[in-house]
Structures are given as structure tokens and as C-alpha cells.
Amino acid sequence: MTVLAIISGIALVLLVLWEGFETIVLPRRVTRRFRLTRFFYRSSWRPWVRMVIALIPARRQETWLSYFGPLSLLLLLSFWAFGLICGFALIHWALGSAVLARDGASGFLTDLYLSGTTFFTLGLGDVVPRTPLARLLVVVESGMGFAFLALVIGYLPALNQSFARREVSISLLDARAGSPPTASEMLRRHGYEHGKEALRQLLHEWERWSAEFLEGHLSYPVLAYFRSQHDNQSWLAALAAIMDTCALVMAGLEGACERQAELTFAMARHAVIDLSLVFRTAPRESIPDRLPPGRLEELRLLLAESGQHLRQGEAFDRKLRELRLLYEPYVHELAAHFQIALPPWIAAEDSVDNWRGSFWERSAKDRISVRKGRGEHF
């Protein structure tokens, strides 16, 4: 039992330290098939989703889903701390509980208490080590406690900064592509004079955004569970709308910035595919058609009213279909995993941009509808 306890304690400490290193310090995706952190998120996210769907009213479900990211992060850090405390307690117990307690107590619970007060550097002094090896373990554990606290202090601001950078560009789409963002609105609102140059600049910015998104979410996958400030916005909906727009431009939008659309499409698809690998969301062959032929004709007429002209013919339809197959199966599975609604290709007639929506400017009837959960973007 002594040898088994020592091996178990050392293995537990090393496992937690390695998981913390891969999650917080290592700036690249981990390709190992089994990871404790990945198992934690996969085994906790699905029960959380089922609980929210079963118990929470529909108008409050998005809010409760948004709690998961921050709560899971705090819970994961707590599990790591508890794992290190238990690992050192097992080693102390295997070495014969070489401690002195004021009340004369001994055993594993006393070792666990010593490990906990040492890890959090409380320094109460009511339980102290009495052998050189036990004192060495106390020094090592207290150093790990300081390092753990330093990592947490540095980790949380980095997450918040990455989240804030992600959300800025998503919020900027509000006036440029609607809420939620759609390809039809993005192209229609750039139908003015010099609008093609503005569209090219927008796609250029989203090419860079996609690259930053990819790097940030590969290093900190938990960010994917952090949801946007508004219920009708999300990182996945924004990516889907950008790729929808790029697909239309590449398939045949007259006079548009095709080269920039190709670059943005490539970077956005790269981000979607790598996120699918991280969260093990394999694409499905059969997915709902977000743009059936009738809706495509409606989209063509809508864009024509704003001076944007899509090419006609089988060549256009075939190329658009091929481009959609490159990303839609992935975004559908990611949307199912994260419980995120994908945007339509054509904005709903009654959709209102978030910047236009105000509770206080609505009629009494509209405010009652908002309280019942209809039409509110928060």
C-alpha cells in the first residue's frame, strides 16, 4: 500500500502539472488523443446543455449557456488545485505521516490538511513536518502553490483580453451586416459608390481576425464556450456569415474583390476546420440546406435592388455549391456542439440591428413582448 500510495501521489501531481502546462503555458494545439482537460469539458458540457434545455425557459437558455465557460474554467482550476493537494497528501501518508499536530492527530486526513494549508501557503503552524523529507515536500508544495497562483493571475487576464478582441469585430458587424449578420445584408449594405473597396477592406480585416481567432482559440480552447454579449451574435455566426459572403463573391459577384474574398475564405475555413479537430466535431454528409434554389433567386433579386449583380447559369450554381460544401458541414456540427444558431443567408424582414434596438423607445405592446422573450437581443 505504501508503494502504491507513493506512485499514485507522484502520478497525480505529475498529471496535474502536465495538464496545466498544456492548457495554460503551451501555445499550440495538443494532438494527444486523451487529455484530462478535454475529457472534463466534453463530460460536463453535454450534461449542462441537457439540464438547460430541460429546466430553463427558452428565453433564458442563452444566458444559462453563457455561464458554462467562466464556471467551467473556475471548476477546472479548482480540480487542479485539489489534485495537487491530494497528490502531496498521498506522498506524506505513504512516508508514514511524519507530522506533528497540536492535538496529536495523525493519518491521511491530517496529511490532507497539512497539504492544503501548505499549497495555499496559510502557514497556520498547527501541523508541521518532523522529518527532513517531509519538510522538503512542504517546501516543494508551497512553491507550487505560489506558481499556481501566479499562473491563474496571468491566465485569466489573457483570456479576457482575447475574448474582448474577438468580440470587438463581431460587434462591428452589427451596422455592416445586421443582427445576426447575414451575407445578404453584408453585400446589400456595400452597394453604394466605393462600396466594393469598403467590402474589400472589411474582408481584409476579417482575414486577420480569423487568424487571430485561430491562434487564440487553439491556445485557449475554453474561449469557444464564452458567448457573445448579445443573444443574436456569436463567433460562429460571424464566421459563417463571412464565409457565406466570400462564397458569393468568389462564385460570381460582378465587380467585387474576388482575390481578397479567396484569402479571407481560406483563413476562415482554416479556423473552422482546426476548431472542429479540437472539439472532435466531425462533419456530416447530410445537412440542412441553408440556401435552396428558391432562396438563391430571392437573394439574387434582393442584391440586384442595391446594385449588386450575381452571375447567372450552371457555372455559378456549381461553384457556389462546391464552396459551401467546403465549410457548411463543419459549421453545422460546431453549431450543434455549442448550441449556436447559424445565421440565414437572407436577413429576416422583421430583424432589427442591435444598435437600433432600445427598450425605452418601443411601444408598450413591444415592451411586453420583450419581457416575454420575443425580439430582445440581450
Side-chain angles (χ1 to χ4, degrees), residues 290-302:
R290 296 172 56 230
L291 188 64
R295 295 289 282 175
L296 177 58
E297 289 304 315
E298 183 181 345
L299 175 61
R300 179 176 278 110
L301 293 176
L302 179 65

Side-chain angles (χ1 to χ4, degrees), residues 1 8 27 41 63 94 142 155 182 210 228 241 302 327 354 358 371:
M1 286 295 295
S8 300
Y41 276 102
T63 300
S142 63
Y155 183 54
T182 59
S210 300
S228 297
L302 179 65
Y327 67 93
N354 289 339
S358 172
R371 291 192 184 99

Side-chain angles (χ1 to χ4, degrees), residues 140-152:
V140 172
E141 186 176 5
S142 63
M144 286 187 182
F146 271 119
F148 183 82
L149 178 61
L151 284 176
V152 171

Side-chain angles (χ1 to χ4, degrees), residues 19 23 29-44 76 225 277-280:
E19 284 289 330
T23 304
R29 183 172 69 89
V30 179
T31 57
R32 181 159 43 89
R33 290 189 62 84
F34 178 79
R35 285 187 63 202
L36 193 61
T37 303
R38 182 185 293 123
F39 174 77
F40 166 80
Y41 276 102
R42 292 185 69 88
S43 60
S44 57
L76 178 63
Y225 292 102
L277 290 174
V278 169
F279 294 100
R280 305 291 178 87

Side-chain angles (χ1 to χ4, degrees), residues 174 178-180 189 232 348-358 362 375 377:
D174 185 26
S179 306
R189 297 185 188 191
N232 55 7
E349 293 183 0
D350 59 348
S351 64
V352 178
D353 294 356
N354 289 339
W355 71 271
R356 292 182 179 273
S358 172
R362 294 170 178 167
H377 64 264

